[in-house]
């Protein structure tokens, strides 16, 4: 009986600590990948910063590529939470919902710590279509383009797909230029440009 209790206790302890280690790895990777880029960060730095061992990482993720893909799935969930926040603030008003996001993006993109969109950055880092991280990013961007088309149609745009493409180009430009110019960059004009683009596209 004592032997059985000891074995059970060991298993329980392992099961309790494993999720904690996995969460530390996930949180650390998210911070480092966003700030420094996925390629620039190695497994050694992640486990060191997270305070875990390499075996702990590989118990949860088969490879760094899988961890990078998981980081982007987490990033995408956070993105949609922010992007769709306007729906609660402005129910039934697609234009106000979109501008709710754009106004907040303009604020974030002029901050010194801004590193753009993690999903866009991943596409730049991994040009090959077969990388797990790029696949997550590509799928997300297609969803965003489709969502913008839905919102453009709801606004009454003459050509919803054209407006959606214009808005997507505007957003992607902001993600990139925010990192280049900071507070005095083009992102400070994002709201005004978006309004003009939408106004010009309405019936």
């Amino acid at each position: 009986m004592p032997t059985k209790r000891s074995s059970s206790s060991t298993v329980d302890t392992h099961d309790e600590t494993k999720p904690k280690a996995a969460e530390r790895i996930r949180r650390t990777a998210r911070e480092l990948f966003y700030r420094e880029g996925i390629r620039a960060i190695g497994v050694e730095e992640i486990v060191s910063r997270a305070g875990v061992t390499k075996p702990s990482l590989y118990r949860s993720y088969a490879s760094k590529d899988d961890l990078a893909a998981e980081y982007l799935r987490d990033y995408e969930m956070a993105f949609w939470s922010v992007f769709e926040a306007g729906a609660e603030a402005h129910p039934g008003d697609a234009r106000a919902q979109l501008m709710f996001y754009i106004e907040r993006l303009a604020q974030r993109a002029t901050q010194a710590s801004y590193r753009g969109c993690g999903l866009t950055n991943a596409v730049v880092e991994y040009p090959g279509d077969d990388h797990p991280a790029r696949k997550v990013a590509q799928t997300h961007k297609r969803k965003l383009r489709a969502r913008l088309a839905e919102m453009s149609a709801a606004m009454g745009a003459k050509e919803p797909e054209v407006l959606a493409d214009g808005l997507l180009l505007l957003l992607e430009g902001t993600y990139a230029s925010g990192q280049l110019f900071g507070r005095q960059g083009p992102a400070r004009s994002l709201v005004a440009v978006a309004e003009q683009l939408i106004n010009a596209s309405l019936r």
Side-chain angles (χ1 to χ4, degrees):
M1 291 296 293
T3 302
K4 289 182 179 180
R5 281 198 300 270
S6 175
S7 175
S8 175
S9 175
T10 301
V11 172
D12 289 344
T13 300
H14 176 73
D15 287 344
E16 287 175 5
T17 57
K18 184 177 178 182
K20 294 178 183 177
E23 179 54 34
R24 290 202 301 274
I25 291 166
R26 198 165 173 165
R27 186 168 59 245
T28 302
R30 183 164 60 239
E31 178 186 339
L32 292 174
F33 285 162
Y34 180 73
R35 190 176 68 234
E36 306 293 339
I38 299 172
R39 284 186 179 276
I41 300 299
V43 168
E44 292 81 3
E45 184 168 2
I46 294 170
V47 297
S48 175
R49 295 284 190 94
V52 301
T53 62
K54 274 190 181 181
S56 296
L57 186 149
Y58 289 120
R59 277 197 296 268
S60 300
Y61 305 98
S63 65
K64 179 191 166 184
D65 288 348
D66 287 340
L67 176 57
E70 188 67 15
Y71 149 66
L72 291 176
R73 282 189 282 269
D74 287 344
Y75 190 99
E76 181 184 23
M77 286 182 62
F79 173 89
W80 285 120
S81 178
V82 173
F83 187 85
E84 299 292 0
E88 184 175 345
H90 304 283
D93 188 338
R95 178 170 182 160
Q97 291 170 15
L98 179 61
M99 294 308 300
F100 189 87
Y101 169 74
I102 285 176
E103 288 165 5
R104 281 147 190 78
L105 174 59
Q107 294 171 3
R108 292 198 310 278
T110 54
Q111 295 174 2
S113 61
Y114 187 67
R115 283 283 291 116
C117 172
L119 292 142
T120 297
N121 295 344
V123 172
V124 175
E125 286 197 83
Y126 295 100
D129 289 341
D130 59 344
H131 194 279
R134 184 182 175 91
K135 288 179 180 178
V136 174
Q138 284 178 319
T139 299
H140 166 76
K141 294 301 180 180
R142 292 188 184 105
K143 289 179 182 176
L144 177 57
R145 188 184 185 194
R147 180 69 180 115
L148 289 170
E150 290 177 2
M151 299 178 86
S152 296
M155 289 181 216
K158 290 177 287 188
E159 297 180 279
E161 290 79 10
V162 174
L163 175 56
D165 285 348
L167 290 167
L168 184 58
L169 289 169
L170 185 58
L171 294 180
E172 293 295 337
T174 302
Y175 299 148
S177 66
Q179 301 180 66
L180 289 168
F181 297 99
R183 189 172 298 278
Q184 299 304 316
R188 66 181 181 177
S189 301
L190 174 60
V191 174
V193 174
E195 290 282 11
Q196 291 178 23
L197 182 60
I198 293 169
N199 289 338
S201 302
L202 299 182
R203 296 186 180 94

PDB file of all heavy atoms in Angstrom, residues 1 20-21 26 38 47 56 64 100 102 110-113 120 132 134 143 165 169 178 185 190-191 202:
ATOM      1  N   MET A   1       0.808  -1.226   0.000  1.00  0.00           N
ATOM      2  CA  MET A   1       0.000   0.000   0.000  1.00  0.00           C
ATOM      3  C   MET A   1       0.846   1.283   0.000  1.00  0.00           C
ATOM      4  O   MET A   1       0.593   2.198  -0.753  1.00  0.00           O
ATOM      5  CB  MET A   1      -0.970   0.010   1.197  1.00  0.00           C
ATOM      6  CG  MET A   1      -2.076  -1.026   1.074  1.00  0.00           C
ATOM      7  SD  MET A   1      -3.146  -0.674  -0.331  1.00  0.00           S
ATOM      8  CE  MET A   1      -3.887   0.833   0.214  1.00  0.00           C
ATOM      9  N   LYS A  20       1.570  23.917 -15.619  1.00  0.00           N
ATOM     10  CA  LYS A  20       2.184  25.173 -15.204  1.00  0.00           C
ATOM     11  C   LYS A  20       3.423  25.456 -16.043  1.00  0.00           C
ATOM     12  O   LYS A  20       3.646  26.581 -16.458  1.00  0.00           O
ATOM     13  CB  LYS A  20       2.528  25.108 -13.719  1.00  0.00           C
ATOM     14  CG  LYS A  20       1.320  25.019 -12.805  1.00  0.00           C
ATOM     15  CD  LYS A  20       1.739  24.909 -11.351  1.00  0.00           C
ATOM     16  CE  LYS A  20       0.512  24.757 -10.447  1.00  0.00           C
ATOM     17  NZ  LYS A  20       0.893  24.581  -9.026  1.00  0.00           N
ATOM     18  N   ALA A  21       4.223  24.430 -16.286  1.00  0.00           N
ATOM     19  CA  ALA A  21       5.413  24.609 -17.117  1.00  0.00           C
ATOM     20  C   ALA A  21       5.005  24.961 -18.550  1.00  0.00           C
ATOM     21  O   ALA A  21       5.587  25.852 -19.171  1.00  0.00           O
ATOM     22  CB  ALA A  21       6.255  23.330 -17.104  1.00  0.00           C
ATOM     23  N   ARG A  26       4.503  28.887 -22.937  1.00  0.00           N
ATOM     24  CA  ARG A  26       3.606  29.565 -23.880  1.00  0.00           C
ATOM     25  C   ARG A  26       3.653  31.080 -23.696  1.00  0.00           C
ATOM     26  O   ARG A  26       3.747  31.844 -24.663  1.00  0.00           O
ATOM     27  CB  ARG A  26       2.189  29.048 -23.630  1.00  0.00           C
ATOM     28  CG  ARG A  26       1.190  29.271 -24.722  1.00  0.00           C
ATOM     29  CD  ARG A  26       0.005  28.383 -24.449  1.00  0.00           C
ATOM     30  NE  ARG A  26      -1.099  28.606 -25.335  1.00  0.00           N
ATOM     31  CZ  ARG A  26      -2.108  27.760 -25.458  1.00  0.00           C
ATOM     32  NH1 ARG A  26      -2.130  26.650 -24.744  1.00  0.00           N
ATOM     33  NH2 ARG A  26      -3.098  28.027 -26.291  1.00  0.00           N
ATOM     34  N   ILE A  38      10.164  35.401 -34.446  1.00  0.00           N
ATOM     35  CA  ILE A  38      10.205  33.962 -34.178  1.00  0.00           C
ATOM     36  C   ILE A  38      11.577  33.373 -34.490  1.00  0.00           C
ATOM     37  O   ILE A  38      12.146  32.621 -33.706  1.00  0.00           O
ATOM     38  CB  ILE A  38       9.112  33.237 -34.985  1.00  0.00           C
ATOM     39  CG1 ILE A  38       7.720  33.748 -34.580  1.00  0.00           C
ATOM     40  CG2 ILE A  38       9.201  31.729 -34.763  1.00  0.00           C
ATOM     41  CD1 ILE A  38       6.590  33.237 -35.446  1.00  0.00           C
ATOM     42  N   VAL A  47      13.295  28.331 -22.824  1.00  0.00           N
ATOM     43  CA  VAL A  47      13.252  27.530 -21.595  1.00  0.00           C
ATOM     44  C   VAL A  47      13.982  28.236 -20.460  1.00  0.00           C
ATOM     45  O   VAL A  47      13.587  28.138 -19.285  1.00  0.00           O
ATOM     46  CB  VAL A  47      13.815  26.110 -21.824  1.00  0.00           C
ATOM     47  CG1 VAL A  47      12.954  25.364 -22.834  1.00  0.00           C
ATOM     48  CG2 VAL A  47      15.273  26.139 -22.273  1.00  0.00           C
ATOM     49  N   SER A  56      10.662  19.579 -20.753  1.00  0.00           N
ATOM     50  CA  SER A  56       9.340  20.130 -20.440  1.00  0.00           C
ATOM     51  C   SER A  56       8.704  20.746 -21.675  1.00  0.00           C
ATOM     52  O   SER A  56       7.511  20.601 -21.923  1.00  0.00           O
ATOM     53  CB  SER A  56       9.449  21.198 -19.340  1.00  0.00           C
ATOM     54  OG  SER A  56       9.895  20.639 -18.134  1.00  0.00           O
ATOM     55  N   LYS A  64       9.938  23.609 -32.126  1.00  0.00           N
ATOM     56  CA  LYS A  64       9.792  25.058 -32.043  1.00  0.00           C
ATOM     57  C   LYS A  64       8.753  25.550 -33.052  1.00  0.00           C
ATOM     58  O   LYS A  64       7.999  26.488 -32.788  1.00  0.00           O
ATOM     59  CB  LYS A  64      11.138  25.749 -32.283  1.00  0.00           C
ATOM     60  CG  LYS A  64      11.040  27.277 -32.238  1.00  0.00           C
ATOM     61  CD  LYS A  64      12.307  27.943 -32.734  1.00  0.00           C
ATOM     62  CE  LYS A  64      12.072  29.415 -33.011  1.00  0.00           C
ATOM     63  NZ  LYS A  64      13.244  30.093 -33.594  1.00  0.00           N
ATOM     64  N   PHE A 100     -14.188  51.625 -34.331  1.00  0.00           N
ATOM     65  CA  PHE A 100     -13.835  51.367 -32.936  1.00  0.00           C
ATOM     66  C   PHE A 100     -12.472  50.676 -32.881  1.00  0.00           C
ATOM     67  O   PHE A 100     -11.601  51.035 -32.071  1.00  0.00           O
ATOM     68  CB  PHE A 100     -14.910  50.486 -32.290  1.00  0.00           C
ATOM     69  CG  PHE A 100     -14.783  50.324 -30.807  1.00  0.00           C
ATOM     70  CD1 PHE A 100     -15.353  51.239 -29.935  1.00  0.00           C
ATOM     71  CD2 PHE A 100     -14.117  49.226 -30.275  1.00  0.00           C
ATOM     72  CE1 PHE A 100     -15.243  51.079 -28.557  1.00  0.00           C
ATOM     73  CE2 PHE A 100     -14.002  49.053 -28.898  1.00  0.00           C
ATOM     74  CZ  PHE A 100     -14.566  49.982 -28.038  1.00  0.00           C
ATOM     75  N   ILE A 102     -10.233  50.614 -35.464  1.00  0.00           N
ATOM     76  CA  ILE A 102      -9.239  51.449 -36.140  1.00  0.00           C
ATOM     77  C   ILE A 102      -8.729  52.566 -35.227  1.00  0.00           C
ATOM     78  O   ILE A 102      -7.535  52.879 -35.208  1.00  0.00           O
ATOM     79  CB  ILE A 102      -9.832  52.015 -37.443  1.00  0.00           C
ATOM     80  CG1 ILE A 102      -9.894  50.897 -38.498  1.00  0.00           C
ATOM     81  CG2 ILE A 102      -9.018  53.199 -37.965  1.00  0.00           C
ATOM     82  CD1 ILE A 102     -10.543  51.301 -39.803  1.00  0.00           C
ATOM     83  N   THR A 110       1.286  54.011 -32.647  1.00  0.00           N
ATOM     84  CA  THR A 110       2.163  55.163 -32.444  1.00  0.00           C
ATOM     85  C   THR A 110       2.941  55.056 -31.134  1.00  0.00           C
ATOM     86  O   THR A 110       3.604  56.012 -30.730  1.00  0.00           O
ATOM     87  CB  THR A 110       1.355  56.470 -32.460  1.00  0.00           C
ATOM     88  OG1 THR A 110       0.276  56.390 -31.509  1.00  0.00           O
ATOM     89  CG2 THR A 110       0.767  56.747 -33.834  1.00  0.00           C
ATOM     90  N   GLN A 111       2.878  53.896 -30.503  1.00  0.00           N
ATOM     91  CA  GLN A 111       3.630  53.682 -29.265  1.00  0.00           C
ATOM     92  C   GLN A 111       4.995  53.073 -29.572  1.00  0.00           C
ATOM     93  O   GLN A 111       5.149  52.301 -30.523  1.00  0.00           O
ATOM     94  CB  GLN A 111       2.844  52.762 -28.321  1.00  0.00           C
ATOM     95  CG  GLN A 111       1.539  53.387 -27.834  1.00  0.00           C
ATOM     96  CD  GLN A 111       0.703  52.408 -27.020  1.00  0.00           C
ATOM     97  OE1 GLN A 111       1.111  51.273 -26.784  1.00  0.00           O
ATOM     98  NE2 GLN A 111      -0.459  52.851 -26.584  1.00  0.00           N
ATOM     99  N   ALA A 112       5.976  53.387 -28.748  1.00  0.00           N
ATOM    100  CA  ALA A 112       7.346  52.945 -28.989  1.00  0.00           C
ATOM    101  C   ALA A 112       7.492  51.416 -28.956  1.00  0.00           C
ATOM    102  O   ALA A 112       8.338  50.854 -29.639  1.00  0.00           O
ATOM    103  CB  ALA A 112       8.282  53.578 -27.961  1.00  0.00           C
ATOM    104  N   SER A 113       6.670  50.758 -28.163  1.00  0.00           N
ATOM    105  CA  SER A 113       6.781  49.302 -28.005  1.00  0.00           C
ATOM    106  C   SER A 113       6.042  48.519 -29.094  1.00  0.00           C
ATOM    107  O   SER A 113       6.084  47.289 -29.104  1.00  0.00           O
ATOM    108  CB  SER A 113       6.220  48.890 -26.639  1.00  0.00           C
ATOM    109  OG  SER A 113       4.846  49.250 -26.539  1.00  0.00           O
ATOM    110  N   THR A 120       1.186  39.023 -39.381  1.00  0.00           N
ATOM    111  CA  THR A 120       1.836  39.589 -40.566  1.00  0.00           C
ATOM    112  C   THR A 120       3.345  39.374 -40.495  1.00  0.00           C
ATOM    113  O   THR A 120       3.985  38.996 -41.487  1.00  0.00           O
ATOM    114  CB  THR A 120       1.535  41.091 -40.687  1.00  0.00           C
ATOM    115  OG1 THR A 120       0.128  41.279 -40.858  1.00  0.00           O
ATOM    116  CG2 THR A 120       2.259  41.711 -41.872  1.00  0.00           C
ATOM    117  N   PRO A 132       4.271  25.689 -40.476  1.00  0.00           N
ATOM    118  CA  PRO A 132       3.059  25.720 -39.640  1.00  0.00           C
ATOM    119  C   PRO A 132       2.648  27.129 -39.212  1.00  0.00           C
ATOM    120  O   PRO A 132       1.453  27.444 -39.201  1.00  0.00           O
ATOM    121  CB  PRO A 132       3.453  24.871 -38.424  1.00  0.00           C
ATOM    122  CG  PRO A 132       4.532  23.982 -38.908  1.00  0.00           C
ATOM    123  CD  PRO A 132       5.280  24.769 -39.937  1.00  0.00           C
ATOM    124  N   ARG A 134       3.284  29.998 -40.782  1.00  0.00           N
ATOM    125  CA  ARG A 134       2.761  30.731 -41.932  1.00  0.00           C
ATOM    126  C   ARG A 134       1.339  30.291 -42.265  1.00  0.00           C
ATOM    127  O   ARG A 134       0.497  31.118 -42.633  1.00  0.00           O
ATOM    128  CB  ARG A 134       3.670  30.531 -43.150  1.00  0.00           C
ATOM    129  CG  ARG A 134       3.219  31.361 -44.360  1.00  0.00           C
ATOM    130  CD  ARG A 134       4.103  31.123 -45.564  1.00  0.00           C
ATOM    131  NE  ARG A 134       3.605  31.824 -46.721  1.00  0.00           N
ATOM    132  CZ  ARG A 134       3.960  33.060 -47.075  1.00  0.00           C
ATOM    133  NH1 ARG A 134       4.814  33.722 -46.322  1.00  0.00           N
ATOM    134  NH2 ARG A 134       3.467  33.623 -48.153  1.00  0.00           N
ATOM    135  N   LYS A 143      -9.467  35.136 -43.401  1.00  0.00           N
ATOM    136  CA  LYS A 143     -10.662  35.375 -42.586  1.00  0.00           C
ATOM    137  C   LYS A 143     -10.886  36.866 -42.370  1.00  0.00           C
ATOM    138  O   LYS A 143     -12.017  37.350 -42.423  1.00  0.00           O
ATOM    139  CB  LYS A 143     -10.528  34.677 -41.226  1.00  0.00           C
ATOM    140  CG  LYS A 143     -10.615  33.168 -41.278  1.00  0.00           C
ATOM    141  CD  LYS A 143     -10.434  32.582 -39.875  1.00  0.00           C
ATOM    142  CE  LYS A 143     -10.465  31.075 -39.887  1.00  0.00           C
ATOM    143  NZ  LYS A 143     -10.186  30.509 -38.529  1.00  0.00           N
ATOM    144  N   ASP A 165     -10.697  45.316 -49.605  1.00  0.00           N
ATOM    145  CA  ASP A 165      -9.281  45.243 -49.971  1.00  0.00           C
ATOM    146  C   ASP A 165      -8.555  46.530 -49.611  1.00  0.00           C
ATOM    147  O   ASP A 165      -7.407  46.506 -49.147  1.00  0.00           O
ATOM    148  CB  ASP A 165      -9.133  44.955 -51.467  1.00  0.00           C
ATOM    149  CG  ASP A 165      -9.437  43.503 -51.814  1.00  0.00           C
ATOM    150  OD1 ASP A 165      -9.535  42.676 -50.877  1.00  0.00           O
ATOM    151  OD2 ASP A 165      -9.564  43.196 -53.017  1.00  0.00           O
ATOM    152  N   LEU A 169      -5.462  46.750 -46.978  1.00  0.00           N
ATOM    153  CA  LEU A 169      -4.184  47.374 -47.318  1.00  0.00           C
ATOM    154  C   LEU A 169      -3.844  48.476 -46.323  1.00  0.00           C
ATOM    155  O   LEU A 169      -2.678  48.650 -45.931  1.00  0.00           O
ATOM    156  CB  LEU A 169      -4.235  47.944 -48.738  1.00  0.00           C
ATOM    157  CG  LEU A 169      -4.261  46.913 -49.868  1.00  0.00           C
ATOM    158  CD1 LEU A 169      -4.584  47.595 -51.197  1.00  0.00           C
ATOM    159  CD2 LEU A 169      -2.930  46.184 -49.960  1.00  0.00           C
ATOM    160  N   GLY A 178       3.858  51.576 -38.403  1.00  0.00           N
ATOM    161  CA  GLY A 178       3.917  51.891 -36.980  1.00  0.00           C
ATOM    162  C   GLY A 178       5.267  51.539 -36.388  1.00  0.00           C
ATOM    163  O   GLY A 178       5.759  52.212 -35.468  1.00  0.00           O
ATOM    164  N   GLY A 185       4.431  59.083 -37.204  1.00  0.00           N
ATOM    165  CA  GLY A 185       4.295  58.397 -38.475  1.00  0.00           C
ATOM    166  C   GLY A 185       2.911  58.437 -39.079  1.00  0.00           C
ATOM    167  O   GLY A 185       1.979  59.046 -38.524  1.00  0.00           O
ATOM    168  N   LEU A 190      -4.409  57.424 -39.598  1.00  0.00           N
ATOM    169  CA  LEU A 190      -5.187  56.234 -39.926  1.00  0.00           C
ATOM    170  C   LEU A 190      -6.688  56.474 -39.880  1.00  0.00           C
ATOM    171  O   LEU A 190      -7.415  56.094 -40.806  1.00  0.00           O
ATOM    172  CB  LEU A 190      -4.811  55.099 -38.971  1.00  0.00           C
ATOM    173  CG  LEU A 190      -5.648  53.813 -39.076  1.00  0.00           C
ATOM    174  CD1 LEU A 190      -5.537  53.204 -40.470  1.00  0.00           C
ATOM    175  CD2 LEU A 190      -5.207  52.814 -38.011  1.00  0.00           C
ATOM    176  N   VAL A 191      -7.169  57.083 -38.828  1.00  0.00           N
ATOM    177  CA  VAL A 191      -8.615  57.293 -38.670  1.00  0.00           C
ATOM    178  C   VAL A 191      -9.162  58.159 -39.793  1.00  0.00           C
ATOM    179  O   VAL A 191     -10.181  57.836 -40.419  1.00  0.00           O
ATOM    180  CB  VAL A 191      -8.927  57.921 -37.296  1.00  0.00           C
ATOM    181  CG1 VAL A 191     -10.412  58.283 -37.204  1.00  0.00           C
ATOM    182  CG2 VAL A 191      -8.545  56.959 -36.171  1.00  0.00           C
ATOM    183  N   LEU A 202     -19.198  54.505 -50.407  1.00  0.00           N
ATOM    184  CA  LEU A 202     -20.603  54.299 -50.131  1.00  0.00           C
ATOM    185  C   LEU A 202     -21.480  54.662 -51.317  1.00  0.00           C
ATOM    186  O   LEU A 202     -21.135  55.500 -52.151  1.00  0.00           O
ATOM    187  CB  LEU A 202     -21.023  55.098 -48.910  1.00  0.00           C
ATOM    188  CG  LEU A 202     -20.296  54.741 -47.602  1.00  0.00           C
ATOM    189  CD1 LEU A 202     -20.832  55.577 -46.441  1.00  0.00           C
ATOM    190  CD2 LEU A 202     -20.415  53.257 -47.288  1.00  0.00           C
TER     191      LEU A 202
END
